[in-house]
Amino acid sequence: MDAVPDANGGEDDVDEGVRVDLNADAGESFGAWPMGADTRLFPALSSVNVACGFHAGDPATMLRTVRLAREHGVAIGAHPGYPDLVGFGRRDMAVDPEQVHADVLYQLGALSGILRAEGLALHHVKPHGALHHRVTQDEAAADAVARAIRDVSADVPFVVLGGPGGTVMQQAAQAHGLRTIREAFPDRAYLASGTLAPRTMPGALVHDPDEVAARAVAMVTRGEVPAVDGGSTRVEAETLCIHGDGPRAPDIAAAVREALEGAGVEVRAHGGVDV
């Protein structure tokens, strides 16, 4: 085992062969309105979650993002959300489960078509924003998303919140025979319940690259993170997410990758995908 610094300046033991995926939400520009800095962000990543036109993105942006991901050897997943361009998909919506299923199916179909045209395949599916929050708590909504993934391909993994906060998502995936990839968010604060802290809560967003990097190493090596409402919560990190819309996202992603590799953790997309 190799001893590596933890988030508090101490040391953690890392087994040889530890691996984690590093993903980011991407392709979130819309028409003439840019969002994020994907060209600077992608070199640090091993996978991306591409917006599918509902909360952000548009056909030309999706195609451009897919081609950029291929250029950098980054695995490509879908990032479906609520039909809410004005709110960037971060407002809850009164959408029944059948509409959730249809909306997600539509978005997966759009990205899958672009991928097929480029000779690529869909690597994973990860809900965005308020839809993600809903499927961590609402069994019917989680089932609807899992059914949509299965209807496109039962071989495509469902990215679920790692730890106790993702139980509902994990159960939905299991019910439909889907593989899961457990995710943690080093640039977001957690509640003791294992769910992400609401963005309106003070301290919910972590902006300092060094702090995010330290949290990322701790998540992978110790499997826990401090909770903003006291104590700590368990996390299971097979993939780590950086929010690509943040102004410092490229710096954060680079710092996280450097810290992980410095800790002896291999950064690679699941399934050994080579795009």
Side-chain angles (χ1 to χ4, degrees):
M1 291 186 173
D2 300 319
V4 299
D6 67 17
N8 299 310
E11 291 187 341
D12 284 313
D13 289 329
V14 178
D15 292 319
E16 293 183 5
V18 173
R19 187 185 80 186
V20 72
D21 175 44
L22 181 59
N23 77 75
D25 306 334
E28 293 181 320
S29 298
F30 181 76
W33 292 271
M35 174 70 76
D38 291 352
T39 55
R40 292 179 52 222
L41 179 64
F42 280 29
L45 305 176
S46 50
S47 72
V48 291
N49 321 302
V50 179
C52 300
F54 270 35
H55 78 276
D58 57 70
T61 298
M62 293 167 68
L63 180 58
R64 184 169 62 249
T65 304
V66 163
R67 289 173 173 171
L68 182 65
R70 179 173 56 191
E71 177 184 336
H72 289 283
V74 176
I76 301 164
H79 201 33
Y82 282 138
D84 181 25
L85 286 171
V86 173
F88 199 63
R90 288 181 175 155
R91 302 181 295 187
D92 194 23
M93 301 185 73
V95 181
D96 65 58
E98 287 309 308
Q99 187 66 51
V100 169
H101 172 263
D103 285 351
V104 172
L105 191 61
Y106 182 94
Q107 292 173 82
L108 300 189
L111 182 59
S112 295
I114 289 174
L115 289 168
R116 188 176 302 112
E118 293 296 303
L120 302 171
L122 185 63
H123 179 262
H124 62 269
V125 176
K126 172 190 164 180
H128 165 81
L131 178 60
H132 181 276
H133 179 71
R134 181 171 173 183
V135 298
T136 64
Q137 304 178 43
D138 185 327
E139 293 180 2
D143 181 80
V145 172
R147 281 193 290 120
I149 299 170
R150 180 206 63 195
D151 290 347
V152 170
S153 174
D155 294 327
V156 175
F158 189 180
V159 177
V160 303
L161 185 62
T167 300
V168 172
M169 300 175 78
Q170 293 162 7
Q171 290 173 341
Q174 183 177 15
H176 292 283
L178 300 175
R179 292 179 295 129
T180 59
I181 298 174
R182 293 166 294 180
E183 181 176 49
F185 295 81
D187 62 358
R188 288 294 313 279
Y190 281 73
L191 301 176
S193 64
T195 58
L196 297 177
R199 285 176 171 268
T200 54
M201 179 178 287
L205 307 179
V206 186
H207 298 292
D208 179 72
D210 291 336
E211 183 179 357
V212 177
R215 287 166 61 85
V217 172
M219 287 172 164
V220 175
T221 62
R222 292 195 288 122
E224 65 178 15
V225 65
V228 291
D229 52 348
S232 62
T233 188
R234 178 173 57 87
V235 294
E236 298 171 339
E238 295 176 302
T239 186
L240 298 172
C241 176
I242 304 301
H243 286 84
D245 60 300
R248 303 194 69 184
D251 296 331
I252 289 172
V256 168
R257 178 141 194 171
E258 182 179 5
L260 289 169
E261 292 180 338
V265 177
E266 180 185 7
V267 177
R268 187 181 181 189
H270 286 271
V273 171
D274 182 3
V275 299

